Amino acid sequence: MARYTTLPDPFVKELERIPGFVEFTTGYTLCAECERCERSVVYLTPHEQAVARAEGIRLYGQGSATRMNRQGCRCPFYGGASRGCEHYLSRPLICHLFPIDIVEHEDDGAHWWVLFGACEEVARGKLRGRIEDARRIATAIDRRMPDDLRRAFMADAGGAVFEPVFYEHQVHYLLPLTAPSSRHPE
């Protein structure tokens, strides 16, 4: 059993039940030559932050901007091109979703589900031309995502460190994020 099996947000189990999700987000072959996502900032959900602290993982930032690494630095779970993610099954929720993510659209401040064209699998690999599949999966995720996670992702997007490498490539806007209910959790 991997050391960090309790790290991923429990929502990962729900993601794995979405038809086509696992096939869409695994089995990449171009990661070793790209490594863009490994150098991106790895934000953690509130659940993941608590577990990471209990595991003694060094964290950066605070609140919704809490992450496992600094901008431009590799994730501490990444073992280089030859080994890849050394905790792949127990990686954070944001990594399970990649190259699908939530960003705040600069034009109107709305939050959107996106597919990052910076991922070589989207640009020329197994995900090339599969924008409609990404839209279907993002729609299924959006329907299932609990409000506490929705709020956390919106806060992440609002406080995220700008990573130009992702915006040098096409960003495919899939659908607007459904706003969390106005009712506050008890």
Side-chain angles (χ1 to χ4, degrees):
M1 178 158 47
R3 176 177 173 200
Y4 301 112
T5 55
T6 58
L7 179 65
D9 196 284
F11 187 60
V12 168
K13 298 269 186 248
E14 183 68 25
L15 292 175
E16 292 170 347
R17 288 192 281 270
I18 296 173
F21 176 83
V22 171
E23 295 78 12
F24 190 87
T25 57
T26 60
Y28 300 157
T29 60
L30 302 176
C31 297
E33 69 181 65
C34 173
E35 298 183 318
R36 286 186 192 106
C37 63
E38 311 306 340
R39 289 187 302 271
S40 70
V41 178
V42 181
Y43 294 99
L44 301 178
T45 69
H47 168 85
E48 292 167 341
Q49 291 175 33
V51 172
R53 284 187 181 95
E55 291 280 351
I57 297 172
R58 183 172 181 181
L59 300 179
Y60 300 90
Q62 54 188 317
S64 62
T66 300
R67 55 202 185 274
M68 290 179 55
N69 58 338
R70 294 182 172 145
Q71 183 179 17
C73 296
R74 289 193 168 143
C75 172
F77 287 177
Y78 187 62
S82 62
R83 294 193 319 251
C85 178
E86 295 180 330
H87 298 284
Y88 190 74
L89 295 177
S90 54
R91 67 198 187 278
L93 175 59
I94 196 168
C95 301
H96 277 276
L97 289 170
F98 194 82
I100 296 173
D101 199 356
I102 296 170
V103 299
E104 186 175 3
H105 198 279
E106 292 178 14
D107 294 342
D108 60 9
H111 291 87
W112 281 75
W113 287 101
V114 298
L115 178 66
F116 283 119
C119 174
E120 285 300 324
E121 295 294 346
V122 175
R124 59 186 179 87
K126 78 174 242 174
L127 301 180
R128 185 176 184 193
R130 296 190 56 198
I131 296 169
E132 288 308 312
D133 291 337
R135 185 171 284 116
R136 179 185 51 75
I137 290 169
T139 300
I141 297 167
D142 190 72
R143 286 184 186 137
R144 291 170 168 85
M145 183 175 266
D147 279 348
D148 61 332
L149 273 183
R150 198 174 299 275
R151 286 184 190 95
F153 268 83
M154 290 171 73
D156 286 351
V161 174
F162 179 69
E163 297 184 79
V165 69
F166 287 99
Y167 297 94
E168 292 168 358
H169 302 82
Q170 185 172 10
V171 177
H172 304 279
Y173 287 85
L174 303 172
L175 68 142
L177 176 73
T178 301
S181 68
S182 58
R183 181 181 68 81
H184 294 286
E186 270 85 88

